[in-house]
Amino acid sequence: MRKLITSALPYVNNVPHLGNIIGCVLSADVYARFCRARGYETLYICGTDEYGTATENKAREEGLSPQEICDKYHAIHAEIYRHFEISFDAFGRTSHPEQTEIAQQIFKDVDANGLILEETTQRTYCEHDAIFLADRYVEGTCPNCGYEDARGDQCDRCKELLDPEKLINPRCKICGNVPVLKATAHLNLDLASLQPELQAWFEQASKQGQWTRNAVQTTQAWLDRGLAPRPITRDLKWGIPVPKPGFENKVFYVWFDAPIGYISITARAFPNWREWWQNPESVQLYQFMAKDNIPFHTVMFPASLLATRHQWTLLHHINSTEYLNYEDSKFSKSRNIGVFGTDVVKTGIHPDLWRFYLLFNRPEKNDTNFVWSEFFTKVNSDLLDNIGNLVHRTLVYLKKNFDGQMMDSWPEPHQKQAEAWREQLGIITQAFENVSIREALRLILLLGNEGNKFFQDMAPWEQIKADPKLAQATVSLLTYLVRALARVLEPFMPSTAHRIFSMLNLEISDWDSVATFSGLDGHQIGTPEILYPKLDLAQAEKWRKRFGGEWVDLDRACIRVGRIESVQAHPHADQLYVLQVDLGTAQKRVVAGLVHKFSPEQLLQRKVLVVCNLAPADLRGVISEGMVLVAESRKSTDLFNLTDFAVGSLVSGCNPEAETLAFADFQQIQLKVSDGQLRHDDEPLLIDGLAIRTESLPNGKVR
């Protein structure tokens, strides 16, 4: 059977965090890599979900058009997934023409079958913004559990799906005003009429495809409550036009058109797309997502396809995770809490180590937490002290004592051990087949531990004294195990696996060879090397603070070289100067508390570092538009030596287009002087490639 694999389409209007990555694309990538290795014809499809109110509002916030927002964030998503080595066969977008064509055709087919109902209802309307509000842009108190920040589509506390009209004390998320109800005509998918055949399909597919527990429970709960007609249109501009007279000014609701994106992205990339999406006898569809997406893939999407009365490849297996949270809270971009995809690059930690921990900690049955200290500890102990140790000690011993030459003639104990490992590799393969991703990784690590135990029990350093051939047999058998471990580890850690095969002086093998402990007699391995240096646990605390809301990154500041053109006494404060500073393309007034540190003559025409994007502040009756940076110790204050730098030059790591920054936020940026150099996060800051140095102070704070 062909394997058609999808991961839930991420919203294009934000940056994915680690929870998004493990719940969708990374989990699907592991299975897709396994399927290819097994020789299955495989297609892995994903892309950005680009239509809807969320995109319109993000465009409004950033002063861009919806198309510009989609272009911007699609590129961000694509780069993040490239960094994580996600092996999409196609990573597309729902704003392409193929999406419009296929979504409209599916609608026409459903409508022709009498399964589209027209209805005029009262919908939430914001008079201030003059728009009908999408469900998630109405907030209020949940009528089920009383949670005060429930969204109009779903309550984050009790997980119940909601209608915005039923929220208590509703408010517009955009402006905060109370919305009103206004009549509008919409089209509904007649889910009630479709329930009997959907129920029959669910009962068969969930058993045959071995759906995850939360997917079965969620879908059954929906069916037990009874399905009702559900709107598929919205009063928006950014979306797919509805091809029906009287509804030309409306667009499809994102829940209806977004899953069709799997089909349209395939169609755009592959002319033979129908062989995948309209071929249920030969193709199995595997879909990966977090639990909040379950109903859209087990009820809405299959119901829409069934309603066309055409043959479609329907869901075979759904692999839905619980949530990954951050430390003891939720991911929040606005509060700088949590690691987002763009942050991963900043850490300098290899993507495979991120992949390892996220998959090791995959939230399969319960919500789990990303914890920095655990991340570092698990990488060091479960990966490097285990697999890393086995690879290095085995290959180094073979290289040092036997010129790296393998053999495959096994004495009795080694034959027995090889058979036991073959059996365990078979169990690992079956775990992959069952899409038991975390279990497969656990079994791989267990096999690595057994390899280390065999090395220790056989003690080749003792065997070589009496029987060199026996010692060579021991490390050769272990080298075969290293090859097997690299092969089964590749879906989890692709770069690492390829590095191990390079050390073995072998091309990466097909999957069926993993349990073969022969065929390399006389083969000479390459040069062994340490897989990765151990992670420094002291750095874990630094990163925890940085991404725990206790840190503001340097790219939120704009720091430039300025020249002080005038120095005046503050009219109401004798410890303050009022400085006029030239920044090359602009002049700024800066109020600075430097009276007791420097004379006016020392400051006049002096080049200084200026924070240019601070929010204007009233300091004793004078508006200050920036801040001059100085270095301080307990005994002295020093300026930076900027003689060689041009006025207006930008400090490295800063953002020339940074938004206005509150003073309290700037204080969270970790600037200091060490060894006479200006540093951020222990990294020296530069201007035009040159270090920024103080006049004389070797170490101190920067304010």
Side-chain angles (χ1 to χ4, degrees), residues 58 78 122 226 232 334 336 461 511 534 639 653:
K58 189 68 172 180
Q122 300 286 319
I232 64 168
S334 62
N336 297 313
W461 59 91
W511 193 274
K534 285 199 171 184
L639 292 167

Side-chain angles (χ1 to χ4, degrees), residues 528-588:
E529 57 186 48
I530 294 173
L531 277 185
Y532 299 98
K534 285 199 171 184
L535 299 179
D536 182 359
L537 286 171
Q539 294 293 304
E541 178 61 15
K542 179 191 78 171
W543 294 121
R544 187 195 67 78
K545 289 181 178 179
R546 178 165 185 169
F547 297 112
E550 303 174 36
W551 185 283
V552 177
D553 208 357
L554 184 61
D555 65 5
R556 290 189 60 195
C558 178
I559 304 175
R560 294 186 182 275
V561 175
R563 180 189 292 114
I564 298 175
E565 298 293 335
S566 70
V567 183
Q568 302 291 330
H570 193 290
H572 308 300
D574 56 12
Q575 78 275 21
L576 299 177
Y577 286 131
V578 179
L579 311 175
Q580 194 70 22
V581 183
D582 178 17
L583 294 166
T585 58
Q587 296 269 333
K588 281 190 179 289

Side-chain angles (χ1 to χ4, degrees), residues 651-669:
V651 172
S652 63
C654 292
N655 181 0
E657 299 178 354
E659 297 179 356
T660 300
L661 184 66
F663 177 70
D665 287 338
F666 176 75
Q667 287 183 306
Q668 298 299 314
I669 297 177

Side-chain angles (χ1 to χ4, degrees), residues 53 55-64 69 129 131 174:
T53 304
T55 304
E56 282 191 350
N57 286 335
K58 189 68 172 180
R60 187 184 298 112
E61 289 172 15
E62 297 196 16
L64 299 172
I69 280 290
D129 296 310
I131 56 172
I174 302 169

Side-chain angles (χ1 to χ4, degrees), residues 65-175:
S65 70
Q67 186 63 63
E68 289 171 331
I69 280 290
C70 292
D71 293 345
K72 172 183 174 180
Y73 282 95
H74 176 82
I76 291 172
H77 277 261
E79 181 55 37
I80 289 168
Y81 303 140
R82 274 194 295 271
H83 186 73
F84 273 92
E85 293 194 73
I86 306 300
S87 61
F88 303 119
D89 290 296
F91 182 73
R93 314 173 62 171
T94 60
S95 60
H96 281 141
E98 290 81 359
Q99 174 75 355
T100 298
E101 179 185 346
I102 294 173
Q104 287 184 340
Q105 186 58 55
I106 287 174
F107 167 78
K108 289 176 182 178
D109 291 341
V110 176
D111 193 24
N113 294 327
L115 292 167
I116 297 294
L117 308 176
E118 297 185 24
E119 182 182 23
T120 298
T121 59
Q122 300 286 319
R123 304 294 296 177
T124 49
Y125 182 84
C126 180
E127 294 178 314
H128 178 270
D129 296 310
I131 56 172
F132 283 97
L133 295 171
D135 295 354
R136 63 176 45 242
Y137 282 87
V138 186
E139 296 180 333
T141 302
C142 175
N144 299 308
C145 70
Y147 180 53
E148 294 183 353
D149 290 316
R151 300 193 313 264
D153 59 345
Q154 188 174 34
C155 175
D156 285 336
R157 176 182 287 173
C158 68
K159 309 304 178 188
E160 284 293 314
L161 294 182
L162 301 172
D163 291 318
E165 295 78 18
K166 295 181 180 178
L167 288 176
I168 301 168
N169 299 322
R171 59 186 180 275
C172 171
K173 184 177 180 179
I174 302 169
C175 65

Side-chain angles (χ1 to χ4, degrees), residues 214-441:
N214 58 3
V216 172
Q217 292 174 341
T218 299
T219 308
Q220 190 63 63
W222 269 62
L223 294 169
D224 288 346
R225 284 196 298 266
L227 301 180
R230 191 168 183 86
I232 64 168
T233 57
R234 273 292 177 260
D235 292 290
L236 300 173
K237 295 179 180 178
W238 182 244
I240 296 175
V242 178
K244 187 176 178 68
F247 293 86
E248 295 89 349
N249 293 327
K250 299 181 188 293
V251 299
F252 287 126
Y253 197 174
V254 70
W255 75 255
F256 175 77
D257 91 85
I260 297 171
Y262 302 126
I263 304 172
S264 71
I265 291 167
T266 311
R268 184 175 180 84
F270 302 99
N272 66 336
W273 67 272
R274 294 181 189 277
E275 295 178 17
W276 289 94
W277 281 103
Q278 295 183 333
N279 192 6
E281 300 302 318
S282 302
V283 178
Q284 291 179 329
L285 173 59
Y286 289 73
Q287 299 197 285
F288 290 76
M289 67 207 65
K291 60 185 176 183
D292 55 337
N293 267 316
I294 291 171
F296 303 105
H297 292 78
T298 65
V299 176
M300 310 298 192
F301 186 38
S304 300
L305 297 181
L306 287 170
T308 66
R309 304 309 181 206
H310 293 302
Q311 190 176 55
W312 289 97
T313 303
L314 298 179
L315 174 65
H316 170 69
H317 173 83
I318 182 171
N319 202 278
S320 43
T321 64
E322 301 293 317
Y323 291 137
L324 177 72
N325 297 315
Y326 182 78
E327 295 278 347
D328 56 355
S329 60
K330 292 184 177 181
F331 289 86
S332 172
K333 192 69 172 175
S334 62
R335 294 187 292 133
N336 297 313
I337 293 177
V339 180
F340 289 74
T342 48
D343 300 322
V344 169
V345 181
K346 298 175 185 176
T347 66
I349 299 171
H350 195 282
D352 268 13
L353 302 184
W354 286 98
R355 287 176 65 113
F356 169 78
Y357 177 63
L358 290 172
L359 291 158
F360 184 94
N361 192 36
R362 187 171 184 260
E364 293 187 348
K365 295 182 179 178
N366 304 100
D367 291 354
T368 60
N369 290 316
F370 175 91
V371 180
W372 276 103
S373 58
E374 184 187 68
F375 174 21
F376 279 36
T377 299
K378 293 298 182 184
V379 166
N380 288 343
S381 61
D382 292 75
L383 177 66
L384 302 184
D385 285 346
N386 178 1
I387 304 293
N389 181 54
L390 178 64
V391 170
H392 191 254
R393 72 195 300 201
T394 297
L395 302 189
V396 165
Y397 198 89
L398 185 66
K399 191 78 171 179
K400 180 179 178 181
N401 295 283
F402 305 104
D403 196 29
Q405 189 168 321
M406 296 176 64
M407 60 182 292
D408 57 8
S409 177
W410 314 125
E412 175 76 21
H414 293 60
Q415 290 181 15
K416 186 176 181 181
Q417 184 63 73
E419 186 56 42
W421 287 344
R422 267 192 288 269
E423 184 177 336
Q424 287 175 270
L425 287 163
I427 296 171
I428 290 170
T429 298
Q430 191 56 51
F432 273 110
E433 293 283 8
N434 296 339
V435 206
S436 299
I437 293 172
R438 190 170 173 178
E439 175 66 4
L441 183 55

